[in-house]
Amino acid sequence: DFYSVDNKLKGYEVIKKEGNSGVSNYYSTDSNLLAIYNLKFDGIKIIQRDGFDGSTKEHLRSEYFEYDNKGHVTKKTISNNLGLAQRIYDLSYDNDGNEIGFIAYDPNGDFSANETYIITKKDEANRWTEKWGYIGAVPQSFHRRTFDKRAK
């Protein structure tokens, strides 16, 4: 689920995986399909997400992921529908493997943004279930997620 900083639901995402592929559907609060992402996996790790408009099915962007030896995404590159890099993210994690922030750059390597996450709730496996994103001292995002009990 994705929330605005005033705790109002903005939309929700449903992810399904089968083998080395999957799909992620992003919906508005009134359940209109806004975006579709076709997913490619390397085992359990997403290595590519191709995003499409939910109504027109137009290809909007692709995302490519790089991982460290612990399986954490260390770099995410977003390319436009022509395959040209638009933004690059370097991600950081806490000792439990939860993402705690990112630094974003444009394709030339110039600084674009820096967001830090404060985790406010975790589940029994120490995975974040609620977190706030801040740029400086200003809240920018609020995230809440749940895990299917069948998920490993």
Side-chain angles (χ1 to χ4, degrees):
D1 296 338
F2 296 90
Y3 293 83
S4 58
V5 293
D6 61 359
N7 204 23
K8 290 190 177 156
L9 184 66
K10 292 181 359 183
Y12 62 95
E13 182 179 27
V14 177
I15 302 170
K16 294 183 181 180
K17 178 184 185 290
E18 191 169 310
N20 280 331
S21 62
V23 66
S24 165
N25 292 322
Y26 182 74
Y27 297 92
S28 66
T29 56
D30 57 358
S31 298
N32 286 324
L33 181 62
L34 299 176
I36 302 164
Y37 287 90
N38 290 332
L39 310 173
K40 292 181 185 175
F41 291 86
D42 177 13
I44 62 169
K45 299 180 291 200
I46 296 174
I47 56 173
Q48 184 175 340
R49 288 174 28 128
D50 294 306
F52 300 87
D53 183 276
S55 58
T56 67
K57 310 300 186 257
E58 175 188 5
H59 180 235
L60 301 174
R61 69 188 205 173
S62 294
E63 302 172 4
Y64 303 92
F65 302 88
E66 295 178 25
Y67 293 82
D68 64 15
N69 59 3
K70 294 180 180 178
H72 302 127
V73 175
T74 56
K75 184 176 183 179
K76 176 171 105 172
T77 302
I78 297 177
S79 299
N80 64 16
N81 64 338
L82 301 175
L84 301 173
Q86 300 297 297
R87 189 173 269 201
I88 300 161
Y89 295 85
D90 288 331
L91 296 87
S92 57
Y93 296 85
D94 66 13
N95 290 332
D96 293 321
N98 295 298
E99 183 184 345
I100 57 170
F102 67 82
I103 298 174
Y105 303 91
D106 70 14
N108 297 321
D110 295 325
F111 175 82
S112 179
N114 181 5
E115 188 165 340
T116 302
Y117 298 120
I118 303 298
I119 296 169
T120 54
K121 288 188 183 177
K122 293 182 180 182
D123 68 5
E124 62 280 351
N126 284 327
R127 300 176 294 191
W128 73 266
T129 56
E130 289 185 7
K131 67 181 178 179
W132 287 85
Y134 290 86
I135 295 180
V138 180
Q140 298 295 311
S141 61
F142 175 69
H143 306 266
R144 182 180 293 142
R145 69 179 177 175
T146 58
F147 294 91
D148 184 317
K149 296 299 181 195
R150 297 171 292 177
K152 295 177 182 172

